[in-house]
C-alpha cells in the first residue's frame, strides 16, 4: 500500500502484485492525476514514438507505450516482410526495422523525460523457426545456422534448446492438454529455449537488464504460456531495479505475461500470478460478444462485469479490446473481437473498458492492411507495417486535425479514445456507483462522484434523467467534444444540486455514448 510521505514528495503507489510506477506528486489540494493506460504503438519506429511521447501522449495522460520487439530478427521474404518476422529472434542486439540502439536510447530518454514509460515486448521463449535455413544472417547481419541451432551472436548452441525433452514426432506442440509439450516443444516450429538452464537464463537476464539500464519500465513477456512460471520467476528476481534517473529508488519492472487461457487447457493463467499481471483474453472476446448482441447478450448484463464473468482477479488482469494477434485472426478471441474495422462498436468497447475499474488497460494502435477474407480467414493476415520498397517502415505522418497518415490508424488519437484515457485517470481508484440500465442495451454508471458514463447500444433513442452522484455543475461531454477554456465544444450536461441530470442519445447519433468527469466541468 502507498507509503504516506509528506504531501510534496513523490509518492510511489505499490500495486499489490507489482510496483508499477504510478507516480504522482501529491499537491496540497489533491493528487495530480495518475496515468493508468498504455498504448501499443505496433510496428512504430523509435523516432516516431519519441515524437509521439513529447507531442501527444504526455499531455493526454498516457502512462506508457508498448513497443514491438526491439531485438534482431529473421528477415522473411516469403511472404514479403510479414509483421511476424519480429517474433523470430536471431540475437539480442537492439536492432530492428524500428531502429538501432542509439535511436532506442533516444526514444526511452525522451519518453521518460515527459513521464511516458516504455514497455518492451520481449521474445525469449524461442529463437527463429527450425526451417529458417543454415548460414543465413539476421536483419542486422548476425550469422545463424537454424539447422545446427547455432546463434553465435548471443551465443546459443544446440545445448540451449529443448529438442531432447520434447517427445512429439514433429517436435512442435501437438496437444495443448499436455503441459510438457506446451512448455518444451516448439510453438509453430520455433526453436524452443531451455529457460531452466543457467546459461540460457543468464543470456535472457543480461538482455532484460540492458533494457532496464537504458530506462525501460517493464516487459510484455511473449508466449509466457510456453515457459514454466518458475523459470520466469527466477529470471525476474535477477532483474535490476529500474533506472533511478527516472524511477524512485528500488522500483521494480512492471510485468505482464502473454498467456492465452480461455479455459479448458492444461496451462492456466493463475500459474503466472506470482510473476505479475497476466493477459485476460476472455475480456475482449466477451465484450465483443455483448456489444455485437450475439448469444442473446446485452449491455445490461455488464452490471456484473469483472471476476464474475469467469475472469481473473482485477489486480492481476491485463486487459484490452483487441491485440496485434486477434485483430487479424491470430492467437485467440475469434470472430467476436472488435477492431478499428468496426469503429462505432469499437469506440463503445474501448470507452466501456476505460470507464470500468476492472484490470490494467492497454489501447491498440494499428496500421491498415488490405484485408482479404476468404472462407473466414484473412489471406493478408501476414501483411507488415506501411513500408517502402526496401522494407523500411514508413514514418507516422500527423495531419493538422491530429489524425495519422501513411497507413497508420492511430486509434489512440481518436477523440473518444483519447478523452476516455483521461477519464480513467480522473476516476482512478473509485468504485462503480449509480448503475442504471433499461434491461436491454442502454446502461449508465458513475465512479463515486468523479465521473459518469451513459451508453446507448439499443435500436431506439435514449432519453432519461439519472442520479449521477456528481457535484452540481455544467459538465462537458468528452465524447462529442471537450472542455476548452470556459466552453464545451460538444454536448453540455447540467447536473442539479441533487446530482440528477438529463441524458439524450439518439440511437443513430454519431456518438453512441456520453462521458463526463470532474476535470471537465465548467
Ligand atoms: C509454420 C507452421 C508450423 C511449422 C513451421 C516450421 O505453422 O507448424 O512447424 O512453419 O517451418 C509464423 C507463421 C507460421 C510458421 C512460423 C514459423 O505464421 O505459419 O509456422 O512463423 O515459421 C507470431 C504469429 C505467428 C508466427 C510467429 C513467428 O502469430 O503466425 O508464425 O509470430 O513468426 C499461441 C501462443 C501465443 C502466440 C499465439 C499467436 O500461445 O503465445 O499463438 N502469441 C505470441 C505473439 C504472436 C507470435 C508469437 C507468440 C510467437 O503475440 O504474435 O506469433 O512469438 O496462442
Ligand atoms: Ca518453451
Amino acid at each position: 500500500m502507498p507509503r504516506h510521505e509528506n504531501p510534496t514528495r513523490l509518492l510511489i503507489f505499490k500495486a499489490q502484485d507489482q510496483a508499477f510506477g504510478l507516480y504522482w506528486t501529491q499537491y496540497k489540494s489533491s493528487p495530480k492525476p495518475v496515468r493508468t493506460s498504455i498504448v501499443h504503438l505496433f510496428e512504430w519506429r523509435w523516432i516516431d514514438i519519441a515524437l509521439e511521447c513529447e507531442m501527444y501522449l504526455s499531455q493526454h495522460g498516457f502512462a506508457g507505450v508498448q513497443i514491438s520487439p526491439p531485438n534482431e530478427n529473421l528477415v522473411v521474404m516469403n511472404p514479403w516482410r510479414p509483421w511476424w518476422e519480429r517474433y523470430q529472434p536471431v540475437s539480442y542486439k537492439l536492432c530492428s526495422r524500428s531502429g538501432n540502439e542509439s535511436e532506442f536510447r533516444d526514444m526511452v530518454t525522451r519518453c521518460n523525460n515527459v513521464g511516458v514509460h516504455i514497455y518492451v515486448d520481449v521474445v525469449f521463449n524461442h529463437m527463429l523457426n527450425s526451417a529458417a535455413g543454415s548460414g543465413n544472417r539476421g536483419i542486422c547481419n548476425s550469422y545463424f545456422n537454424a539447422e545446427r541451432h547455432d546463434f553465435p551472436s548471443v551465443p546459443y548452441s544446440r545445448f540451449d534448446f529443448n529438442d531432447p525433452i520434447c517427445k512429439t514426432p514433429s517436435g512442435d506442440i501437438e496437444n495443448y492438454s499436455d503441459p510438457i509439450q506446451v512448455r518444451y516443444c516448439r510453438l509453430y516450429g520455433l526453436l524452443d529455449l531451455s529457460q531452466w538452464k543457467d546459461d540460457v537464463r543468464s543470456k535472457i537476464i543480461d538482455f532484460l537488464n540492458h533494457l532496464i539500464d537504458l530506462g525501460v519500465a517493464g516487459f510484455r513477456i511473449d508466449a509466457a504460456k510456453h515457459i514454466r512460471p518458475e523459470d520466469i520467476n527466477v529470471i525476474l528476481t535477477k532483474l535490476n531495479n529500474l533506472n533511478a534517473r527516472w524511477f524512485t529508488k528500488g522500483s521494480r519492472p512492471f510485468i505482464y505475461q502473454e498467456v492465452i487461457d480461455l479455459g479448458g487447457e492444461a496451462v492456466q493463467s493463475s500459474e503466472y500470478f506470482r510473476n505479475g499481471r497476466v493477459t485476460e483474453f476472455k475480456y475482449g472476446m466477451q465484450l465483443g460478444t455483448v456489444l455485437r448482441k450475439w448469444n442473446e447478450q446485452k449491455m445490461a448484463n455488464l452490471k456484473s462485469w469483472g471476476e464474475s464473468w469467469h475472469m481473473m482477479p482485477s489486480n492481476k488482469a491485463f486487459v484490452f479490446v483487441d491485440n496485434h494477434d486477434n485483430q487479424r485472426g491470430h492467437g485467440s478471441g475469434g470472430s467476436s473481437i472488435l477492431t478499428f474495422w468496426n469503429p462505432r462498436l469499437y469506440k463503445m468497447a474501448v470507452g466501456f473498458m476505460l470507464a470500468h475499474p476492472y484490470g490494467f488497460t492497454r489501447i491498440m494502435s494499428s496500421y491498415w492492411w488490405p484485408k482479404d477474407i476468404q472462407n473466414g480467414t484473412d489471406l493478408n493476415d501476414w501483411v507488415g507495417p506501411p513500408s517502402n520498397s526496401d522494407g523500411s517502415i514508413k514514418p507516422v505522418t500527423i495531419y493538422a486535425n491530429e489524425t495519422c497518415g501513411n497507413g497508420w490508424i492511430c486509434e489512440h488519437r481518436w477523440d473518444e479514445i483519447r478523452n476516455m484515457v483521461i477519464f480513467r485517470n480522473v476516476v482512478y481508484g473509485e468504485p462503480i456507483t449509480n448503475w442504471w440500465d433499461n434491461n436491454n442495451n442502454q446502461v449508465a454508471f458513475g465512479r463515486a462522484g468523479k465521473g459518469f458514463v451513459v451508453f446507448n447500444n439499443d435500436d431506439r433513442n435514449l432519453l432519461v434523467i439519472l442520479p449521477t452522484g456528481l457535484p452540481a455543475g455544467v459538465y462537458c461531454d468528452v465524447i462529442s467534444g471537450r472542455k476548452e477554456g470556459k466552453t464545451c465544444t460538444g454536448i453540455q450536461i447540467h447536473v442539479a444540486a441533487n446530482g440528477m441530470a438529463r441524458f439524450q442519445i439518439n440511437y443513430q447519433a454519431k456518438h453512441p455514448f456520453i462521458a463526463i468527469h470532474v476535470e471537465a466541468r465548467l
Side-chain angles (χ1 to χ4, degrees), residues 36-44 49 52 56-57 62 64-69 83-84 86-87 121 220 256 258 279 281 283-284 318-330 332 337-343 346-347 349-351 353-354 360-369 381 383-386 404 407-418 421:
T36 58
S37 300
I38 65 177
V39 55
H40 182 191
L41 296 180
F42 183 50
E43 288 285 1
W44 281 41
I49 293 177
E52 192 74 351
Y56 188 85
L57 299 175
F62 285 80
V65 177
Q66 174 181 316
I67 64 169
S68 288
W83 57 269
W84 42 256
R86 291 179 77 161
Y87 288 89
D121 189 351
R220 169 197 184 262
Y256 52 107
E258 189 224 4
T279 54
F281 276 84
Y283 194 96
F318 188 90
V319 300
F320 41 92
V321 170
D322 64 327
N323 80 339
H324 71 279
D325 279 328
N326 63 24
Q327 69 171 191
R328 49 177 46 80
H330 283 231
S332 92
I337 297 296
L338 287 167
T339 72
F340 70 88
W341 293 101
N342 189 337
Y346 188 67
K347 288 172 186 174
V350 177
M353 173 180 79
L354 292 169
F360 185 93
T361 48
R362 178 183 62 197
I363 308 289
M364 181 70 204
S365 189
S366 316
Y367 58 78
W368 182 87
W369 75 91
D381 63 352
V383 171
C404 297
W408 301 98
I409 303 297
C410 288
E411 297 94 319
H412 68 288
R413 282 175 162 265
W414 291 2
D415 292 342
E416 300 86 344
I417 294 179
R418 175 200 54 238
V421 165

Side-chain angles (χ1 to χ4, degrees), residues 178-196:
D178 173 359
I180 304 291
Q181 287 188 39
V182 174
R183 269 66 181 263
Y184 297 119
C185 293
R186 297 171 183 168
L187 170 66
Y188 298 130
L190 299 163
L191 294 175
D192 203 59
L193 282 165
S194 304
Q195 297 85 7
W196 48 276

